[in-house]
Amino acid sequence: MAGPADPPGGAPEGAPGGGEDEYRSVVFDETFVRAARLQEFSARERITDHAPAVRRRPRRRRGLSRQALVLVVLIAVAFGTAIYMGVRHPYRTPAAGAAAEPLRMTVIPLAPEGKVPGTTDSERLYDSSPAAQFRIGAEGVTLPASRHTAHFSDGQVVTALLTAKDYIVRSALAPEVLTGGETRTVRVLLDADQQDQFDRSFRRPAPDGRHAPTGWLVRFDPSRAELADRRIRVRGTLQASEAASGILEVTADHTSVYALRPAGADPGARVSLFTVRRELHFRFDREDLRLHQAQVVASYVQAGPLSCAEDSAGHLRPLLAGGTAEEGGPAGTDPYVTGGTRALCGSLAAGAQPRM
């Protein structure tokens, strides 16, 4: 006799024992039923509306689970914290170094002991002077064998030396600068912190050790002298060293010799030599090296033949062939006035002049 759980005719032959095992593979749980896309209409709905046996259920909108939402929030918080620490971290590397120091400059005119020698042949002048063996132009600004330092590579040292050389060439050998016109080509090589001082030096020149144009570059009074020969003779040295873990220093010591004649004179006019010795101290931080700029922290200039009675801060006013130094010298220095610069004047040795 069949039990209450068996089919009316009993279990069919060959079927596994027990109806529960037979239908277990096709029994759907409640979750599966709720997720079904089709739903059967009730008998009343089918009679009333003549509807099909089933209808399509609307797709259920699934939102983020709680775990996924928490994970998204944690990721957002971590990302925001990383950005904040990157901006506000007290140990981050600063974007720029310390501000550059103002340039300290000294310009000393050298007065001749007698008349300035001259001739119409500039080559003859050079050959009879101490500049006979000097190289011409930028070839006279030679680079030393570069070596890395504790915190700067070979390439960085070379960059510093090349920048210093560019400054020397542009500020002492470029004809457009020497004639008192162009200044921008020199200015762009300066650290941004020194450009205001540079600009003020040309707007309001002053022999105060801070704002003399001739402390930045070589330029002649165009109303007095002009170049008789653009092949300027040059000789000097460059040396690089590390001053601190983030600072490179380059010292340049060069003598430049110019052949000059009176402004507006014909090519056959007598020519004389004018000598400028400049000792420049450059400083470079890593930002300067990247931008191909330099901090010029000290400039020591000796130039002649000049008259000590004339102001050489704005322009160099050379004594030309046959000229002599005027009587007198720089204005007296008041020892009770602080903050000023002591006026200096030197004497141009006879051996520094051409032997005519």
Side-chain angles (χ1 to χ4, degrees):
M1 186 172 177
D6 294 332
E13 292 185 9
E20 183 177 351
D21 291 338
E22 177 183 1
Y23 295 101
R24 179 172 299 172
S25 61
V26 295
V27 172
F28 308 117
D29 61 13
E30 185 179 354
T31 302
F32 181 85
V33 172
R34 286 201 305 267
R37 298 290 304 279
L38 300 178
Q39 182 182 22
E40 184 179 5
F41 285 100
S42 67
R44 183 180 297 278
E45 289 174 328
R46 292 199 297 272
I47 293 172
T48 303
D49 299 332
H50 305 285
V54 296
R55 61 183 172 187
R56 186 174 296 277
R57 301 180 67 180
R59 183 183 295 274
R60 296 182 61 190
R61 295 185 178 179
R62 299 194 177 201
L64 290 174
S65 67
R66 178 176 297 180
Q67 293 85 349
L69 184 60
V70 171
L71 181 61
V72 170
V73 172
L74 289 176
I75 293 175
V77 171
F79 186 70
T81 302
I83 293 176
Y84 176 81
M85 293 299 290
V87 173
R88 300 295 301 274
H89 197 284
Y91 301 108
R92 71 185 189 278
T93 302
E101 298 179 8
L103 170 61
R104 305 182 308 275
M105 57 185 70
T106 302
V107 180
I108 302 178
L110 301 178
E113 297 178 353
K115 288 185 177 182
V116 177
T119 181
T120 57
D121 186 355
S122 60
E123 286 293 335
R124 181 185 173 194
L125 276 175
Y126 279 126
D127 291 342
S128 61
S129 75
Q133 303 302 318
F134 287 14
R135 294 185 177 182
I136 296 174
E139 294 182 358
V141 187
T142 57
L143 300 183
S146 61
R147 302 181 63 181
H148 66 273
T149 66
H151 299 92
F152 291 92
S153 66
D154 288 337
Q156 289 173 317
V157 173
V158 170
T159 297
L161 291 169
L162 286 173
T163 304
K165 176 176 179 175
D166 283 350
Y167 187 92
I168 294 166
V169 171
R170 296 188 191 185
S171 64
L173 304 179
E176 60 275 14
V177 173
L178 297 173
T179 53
E182 177 64 46
T183 62
R184 187 188 63 83
T185 55
V186 178
R187 183 183 187 274
V188 296
L189 289 177
L190 292 172
D191 184 283
D193 293 332
Q194 290 190 317
Q195 291 179 0
D196 286 343
Q197 182 189 3
F198 181 88
D199 294 339
R200 182 182 171 187
S201 298
F202 289 87
R203 287 196 308 266
R204 289 182 293 174
D208 59 359
R210 289 288 188 272
H211 301 98
T214 50
W216 297 98
L217 48 80
V218 177
R219 69 171 185 171
F220 302 111
D221 184 347
S223 66
R224 175 169 297 189
E226 64 183 32
L227 289 173
D229 188 344
R230 290 179 173 238
R231 296 172 298 172
I232 301 162
R233 299 330 195 246
V234 184
R235 186 171 69 182
T237 60
L238 284 168
Q239 293 181 339
S241 63
E242 183 173 340
S245 60
I247 298 295
L248 267 179
E249 288 188 348
V250 173
T251 300
D253 188 352
H254 290 83
T255 300
S256 305
V257 185
Y258 309 84
L260 303 177
R261 62 180 171 226
D266 61 76
R270 296 177 68 198
V271 178
S272 60
L273 296 185
F274 189 88
T275 304
V276 177
R277 178 181 176 183
R278 293 199 307 169
E279 184 177 330
L280 302 175
H281 293 266
F282 299 94
R283 187 171 294 168
F284 301 86
D285 59 25
R286 298 185 187 279
E287 185 71 3
D288 292 324
L289 294 174
R290 185 180 70 84
L291 296 176
H292 192 66
Q293 292 181 332
Q295 305 170 32
V296 189
V297 296
S299 171
Y300 182 81
V301 181
Q302 296 174 307
L306 289 170
S307 175
C308 294
E310 294 195 70
D311 179 14
S312 300
H315 290 89
L316 298 173
R317 297 179 170 87
L319 293 173
L320 302 174
T324 57
E326 298 180 16
E327 295 293 335
T333 300
D334 187 348
Y336 294 94
V337 177
T338 60
T341 301
R342 183 168 60 92
L344 300 174
C345 185
S347 177
L348 184 62
Q353 297 275 40
R355 297 182 299 274
M356 303 301 298

